[in-house]
């Protein structure tokens, strides 16, 4: 009788369904603290321009609105990762080019990555992805630059996105460029949209959110107060 019971129990265990890859990822997502938020930037881009600043000031510049839905799946890993990698999905519009911006896939998002810009060491805020507009597809390269300068330059540096659009065929020459900015109202909405993801108590979620704020502010202090490039 005991052996039969053991066999029945073993059979039940074998009958348990094996979790799919999606189910495993969902369990991991809920067990790890992550962060999500939304960001809205507006500005001007010019078709044919290669330099973002030149494209923004060109008489032929057209309006662009960009919505960024950012997700950081694992906050502890994000803090220790030297490139501070997350992902994001683009949407928005460039009316003159045909209307809505459709993000082709999750793009590369990163905060305060070490880089060289204008022959100087900087920290980059990265927004790279592929988009489709009006039936045409582009690789979008978006950058914000943080480098040692007077503290009052923090706002401009962290709210100004320099954008270049490249052909998806792999060309190295931009086909459009311009500048997008985050307004004060949009910045407040961004802060209000921040959510800690995962199955955690409210107090733990608040603690993880504070840890992200601390990471962001300390990075700015190192750059704009202590004058460190890297």
């Amino acid at each position: 009788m005991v052996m039969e019971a053991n066999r029945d129990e073993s059979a039940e265990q074998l009958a348990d369904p094996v979790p799919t890859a999606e189910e495993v990822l969902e369990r991991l997502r809920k067990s790890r603290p992550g962060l999500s938020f939304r960001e809205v930037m507006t500005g001007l881009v010019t078709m044919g321009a290669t330099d973002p600043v030149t494209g923004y000031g060109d008489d032929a510049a057209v309006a662009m609105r960009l919505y960024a839905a950012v997700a950081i799946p694992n906050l502890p890993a994000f803090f220790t990762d030297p490139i501070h990698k997350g992902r994001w999905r683009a949407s928005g519009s460039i009316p003159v080019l045909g209307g809505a911006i459709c993000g082709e896939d999750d793009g590369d998002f990163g905060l305060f990555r070490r880089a060289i810009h204008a022959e100087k060491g900087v920290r980059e805020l990265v927004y790279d992805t592929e988009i489709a507009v009006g039936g045409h597809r582009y690789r979008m390269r978006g950058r914000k630059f943080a480098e040692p300068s007077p503290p009052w330059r923090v706002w401009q540096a962290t709210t100004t996105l320099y954008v270049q659009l490249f052909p998806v065929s792999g060309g190295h020459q931009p086909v459009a460029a311009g500048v997008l900015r985050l307004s004060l109202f949009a910045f407040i909405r961004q802060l209000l949209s921040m959510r800690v993801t995962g199955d955690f108590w409210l107090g733990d979620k608040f603690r993880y959110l504070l840890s992200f704020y601390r990471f962001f502010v300390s990075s700015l202090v190192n750059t704009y107060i202590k004058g460190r490039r890297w």
Side-chain angles (χ1 to χ4, degrees):
M1 295 292 291
V2 174
M3 293 180 62
E4 290 180 2
N6 289 338
R7 282 198 296 268
D8 292 341
E9 190 174 314
S10 299
E12 289 180 4
Q13 290 176 349
L14 291 173
D16 288 341
V18 177
T20 64
E22 291 77 10
E23 289 173 336
V24 172
L25 289 174
E26 181 65 14
R27 291 176 187 177
L28 287 174
R29 184 189 68 79
K30 290 182 178 181
S31 65
R32 296 170 176 171
L35 183 75
S36 67
F37 62 87
R38 294 183 176 274
E39 191 173 1
V40 182
M41 292 167 280
T42 58
L44 300 171
V45 296
T46 298
M47 297 303 295
T50 59
D51 176 69
V53 175
T54 302
Y56 180 79
D58 196 290
D59 290 340
V62 298
M64 177 176 177
R65 177 179 292 268
L66 181 68
Y67 296 91
V70 178
I72 301 171
N74 188 339
L75 270 179
F78 176 84
F79 295 144
T80 58
D81 181 1
I83 65 172
H84 307 300
K85 183 179 177 62
R87 62 176 185 258
W88 73 294
R89 180 64 64 96
S91 59
S93 64
I94 308 178
V96 172
L97 297 187
I101 294 173
C102 298
E104 295 289 279
D105 204 349
D106 285 343
D108 180 23
F109 172 81
L111 290 180
F112 303 112
R113 292 183 183 175
R114 295 182 178 187
I116 301 295
H117 175 68
E119 300 182 352
K120 297 179 181 179
V122 299
R123 292 278 192 174
E124 291 183 337
L125 285 73
V126 175
Y127 297 74
D128 288 348
T129 192
E130 287 192 9
I131 60 174
V133 187
H136 298 280
R137 296 171 59 224
Y138 306 94
R139 287 185 296 111
M140 192 192 103
R141 183 182 190 273
R143 291 293 186 276
K144 297 177 183 179
F145 301 105
E147 60 179 317
S149 55
W152 56 84
R153 298 290 300 275
V154 170
W155 174 257
Q156 179 181 351
T158 56
T159 60
T160 304
L161 184 70
Y162 299 94
V163 174
Q164 293 173 306
L165 301 182
F166 296 82
V168 294
S169 57
H172 299 293
Q173 188 75 358
V175 295
V179 177
L180 306 178
R181 290 190 170 89
L182 184 74
S183 68
L184 177 59
F185 177 68
F187 174 69
I188 295 172
R189 289 181 60 187
Q190 177 188 0
L191 291 178
L192 294 175
S193 73
M194 288 188 174
R195 298 287 185 274
V196 172
T197 58
D199 288 340
F200 299 96
W201 294 102
L202 184 60
D204 290 330
K205 288 189 175 184
F206 182 70
R207 179 167 56 86
Y208 287 125
L209 185 59
L210 285 181
S211 67
F212 178 78
Y213 290 154
R214 184 165 53 249
F215 160 78
F216 195 91
V217 172
S218 64
S219 298
L220 295 178
V221 168
N222 286 334
T223 300
Y224 292 94
I225 304 297
K226 297 181 179 180
R228 298 175 182 171
R229 289 193 174 273
W230 287 348

